[in-house]
């Protein structure tokens, strides 16, 4: 399993629990501070199958043999925060950039040859 936008790790730890801490979850986050928080949380929760990676999911090459066993991808990319914030992103250019990034992540997830399911939230 790949979690393409993992930090802070709530969904990632839930995946590990659902998998009964068996298998492998590759958890990507581009922000160094948030990736460190992800590592801390996985250690606290005993989610030993999670491998936190300080990198963009977009840098993961679908043809790389490391990802040959990946069958599922979870994506929870940045959004406008319209439902979670008193100050959501409303500028059209910024919203367009978010949409472009979300599309790129989704298309990238589809490029992994073994993927049979993508969860997008």
């Amino acid at each position: 399993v790949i979690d393409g936008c993992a930090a802070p790790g709530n969904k990632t730890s839930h995946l590990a629990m659902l998998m009964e801490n068996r298998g492998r979850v590759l958890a990507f986050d581009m922000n160094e501070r948030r990736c460190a928080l992800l590592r801390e949380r996985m250690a606290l929760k005993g989610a030993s199958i999670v491998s936190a990676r300080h990198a963009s999911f977009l840098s993961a090459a679908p043809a790389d043999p490391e990802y040959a066993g990946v069958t599922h991808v979870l994506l929870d990319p940045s959004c406008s925060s319209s439902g979670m914030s008193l100050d959501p992103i409303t500028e059209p250019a910024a919203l367009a950039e978010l949409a472009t990034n979300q599309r790129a992540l989704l298309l990238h997830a589809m490029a992994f040859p073994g993927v049979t399911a993508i969860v997008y939230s």
Side-chain angles (χ1 to χ4, degrees):
V1 175
I2 288 178
D3 185 345
C5 311
N10 296 326
K11 291 178 187 77
T12 312
S13 62
H14 188 70
L15 277 171
M17 184 215 52
L18 290 172
M19 296 169 64
E20 297 179 345
N21 218 25
R22 290 187 299 227
R24 187 169 71 143
V25 178
L26 305 172
F28 290 84
D29 203 274
M30 296 188 326
N31 182 289
E32 187 173 357
R33 182 187 58 78
R34 289 172 53 87
C35 194
L37 177 61
L38 173 66
R39 286 186 180 104
E40 283 177 33
R41 288 192 174 176
M42 295 309 103
L44 284 171
K45 295 177 184 280
S48 59
I49 65 169
V50 176
S51 173
R53 296 167 181 220
H54 175 220
S56 170
F57 167 57
L58 296 174
S59 70
D64 187 322
E66 178 179 15
Y67 306 114
V70 172
T71 57
H72 294 72
V73 176
L74 169 63
L75 293 173
D76 185 13
S78 296
C79 64
S80 67
S81 301
S82 60
M84 300 293 293
S85 173
L86 296 175
D87 189 27
I89 297 170
T90 57
E91 182 186 314
L95 289 171
E97 182 179 354
L98 284 172
T100 297
N101 291 340
Q102 291 172 0
R103 182 175 189 270
L105 289 164
L106 190 54
L107 290 173
H108 189 65
M110 292 177 184
F112 286 78
V115 168
T116 59
I118 297 169
V119 175
Y120 184 90
S121 71

